[in-house]
Amino acid sequence: MLPCSNNTPSREVSDFLLNCFVRSPNWQHWLSLPLSLLFLLAMGANSALLITIWLEASLHEPMYYLLSLLSLLDMVLCLTVIPKVLAIFWFDLRPISFSACFLQMFIMNNFLPMESCTFLAMAYDRYVAICKPLHYPSIITDQFVAKIVVFILTRNTFLTAPIPILSARLHYCGKNIIENCICANLSVSKLSCDNIALNRIYQLIVAWTLLGSDLILIFLSYTFILRAVLRLKAKGAAAKALSTCGSHFILILFFSTILLVFVFTHMAKKKVSPDIPVLLNVLHHVIPAALNPIVYGVRTQEIKQGIWKLLRRGD
């Protein structure tokens, strides 16, 4: 372990303290109830969606497999972040072990781009369904979904794994209070007495490469879809196509908007309260997870029918 300075001996840090909303402590009181309700909604709605797709044979199609993957990613992200945040709010359980902190960092940095890549796969699915409907059964197959899942896991794990590894290899010799509700890479690494320039640069490059390229390709897909929809001449065909894609696009737009707001707020941290990026980061792990299954359930007729069938079976 390297010393922090010539006069201060090094001390190995075995755990961290998550210090939520230092400048706005009252936020914990009014945020705990809606956050817990959003968490329960996210877990319950995604579980119901997964069970419906699993039990209803008519939903055993590539599009719904991708939706199942999105639900699984949402649930893992929620379970990784929100219970710990609520434990801090309710019981002041701020300590988090060294290994648990970097495991949380790995999951957050890995699964968020996975979710973005899943949205891209779903956008491509809709593009083929509307722009090349005759070729859809031969292009979007179960084998295609399997390859997409392998690609999502491999790409994001390979590129994001160095983020927590680089952060864990730093020397932490004294300071262990993280001014955040979660183990975000930069919030943790800035406690080190080492130079963290490499951490900052690598995370910036990976974030813009993965999320930036996904968002560009997603919006390109929907541009082609919109152009194809406007050319449809069959009565009601355009409205049906737009309705089918509407739920996808709403969620993708919300996902990208809240992410961009977080990024720009973090960049302008000198002009806004430091607690604002922390709040946005926490909410970004639960609001999309709560909205995704609800929007799909409300706007997708096949899922609504599948849920009603299961409910009638229960009766």
Side-chain angles (χ1 to χ4, degrees):
M1 185 69 68
L2 297 177
C4 290
S5 68
N6 293 333
N7 299 322
T8 306
S10 64
R11 178 173 66 86
E12 183 178 357
V13 171
S14 59
D15 61 8
F16 296 103
L17 291 177
L18 293 166
N19 213 10
C20 279
F21 304 126
V22 182
R23 294 161 186 82
S24 309
N26 290 331
W27 286 14
Q28 295 190 23
H29 301 295
W30 65 260
L31 189 59
S32 60
L33 180 59
L35 189 63
S36 58
L37 292 176
L38 282 170
F39 173 69
L40 291 174
L41 177 61
M43 299 305 295
N46 280 289
S47 297
L49 188 63
L50 285 170
I51 292 171
T52 301
I53 293 173
W54 179 39
L55 295 179
E56 185 56 45
S58 62
L59 298 179
H60 293 175
E61 297 179 1
M63 183 178 75
Y64 301 110
Y65 294 148
L66 292 173
L67 183 54
S68 299
L69 176 61
L70 184 65
S71 289
L72 285 172
L73 294 173
D74 281 336
M75 291 178 73
V76 172
L77 280 169
C78 261
L79 288 169
T80 302
V81 173
I82 305 304
K84 181 60 179 178
V85 175
L86 292 175
I88 296 171
F89 286 0
W90 292 338
F91 309 111
D92 199 33
L93 297 177
R94 296 187 298 147
I96 184 169
S97 68
F98 192 86
S99 56
C101 186
F102 289 105
L103 177 60
Q104 186 189 69
M105 186 187 300
F106 169 75
I107 294 174
M108 290 188 300
N109 282 282
N110 193 7
F111 278 58
L112 189 62
M114 281 189 189
E115 191 166 346
S116 170
C117 199
T118 304
F119 276 127
L120 175 58
M122 295 170 74
Y124 179 72
D125 171 88
R126 293 300 86 200
Y127 165 76
V128 176
I130 292 174
C131 299
K132 299 181 179 181
L134 297 178
H135 300 286
Y136 182 85
S138 61
I139 296 175
I140 309 299
T141 62
D142 291 351
Q143 291 77 14
F144 170 82
V145 173
K147 291 176 181 178
I148 284 293
V149 171
V150 171
F151 172 75
I152 291 173
L153 292 172
T154 305
R155 184 197 77 157
N156 295 291
T157 302
F158 179 75
L159 290 176
T160 61
I163 294 175
I165 292 173
L166 287 171
S167 191
R169 286 171 62 87
L170 294 172
H171 296 92
Y172 297 90
C173 47
K175 294 188 293 184
N176 71 333
I177 298 177
I178 303 170
E179 293 187 3
N180 205 330
C181 297
I182 59 179
C183 288
N185 174 40
L186 297 181
S187 297
V188 176
S189 59
K190 72 179 184 181
L191 300 178
S192 167
C193 23
D194 292 340
N195 188 324
I196 63 170
L198 179 60
N199 296 60
R200 292 179 180 274
I201 294 170
Y202 187 82
Q203 175 160 339
L204 182 65
I205 291 174
V206 168
W208 285 110
T209 300
L210 296 181
L211 299 177
S213 62
D214 287 347
L215 291 177
I216 290 171
L217 292 172
I218 286 168
F219 282 102
L220 278 176
S221 297
Y222 280 98
T223 300
F224 291 131
I225 289 171
L226 182 60
R227 188 175 66 176
V229 165
L230 294 177
R231 292 177 179 175
L232 295 175
K233 296 180 180 180
K235 187 177 180 180
K240 183 178 179 181
L242 287 174
S243 178
T244 303
C245 295
S247 56
H248 295 241
F249 189 73
I250 289 170
L251 296 175
I252 292 165
L253 186 63
F254 182 82
F255 175 84
S256 59
T257 300
I258 194 172
L259 189 62
L260 290 173
V261 169
F262 165 69
V263 170
F264 288 120
T265 303
H266 190 75
M267 291 170 64
K269 57 186 177 182
K270 292 184 179 179
K271 298 181 181 180
V272 299
S273 169
D275 287 334
I276 297 296
V278 173
L279 175 63
L280 289 173
N281 208 343
V282 171
L283 293 178
H284 190 252
H285 287 87
V286 66
I287 292 181
L291 286 181
N292 288 347
I294 293 175
V295 172
Y296 277 106
V298 169
R299 295 186 62 89
T300 306
Q301 188 66 27
E302 292 81 3
I303 292 178
K304 283 194 291 187
Q305 291 174 351
I307 292 174
W308 281 116
K309 285 181 182 179
L310 292 178
L311 290 175
R312 285 197 294 269
R313 286 180 193 175
D315 296 337

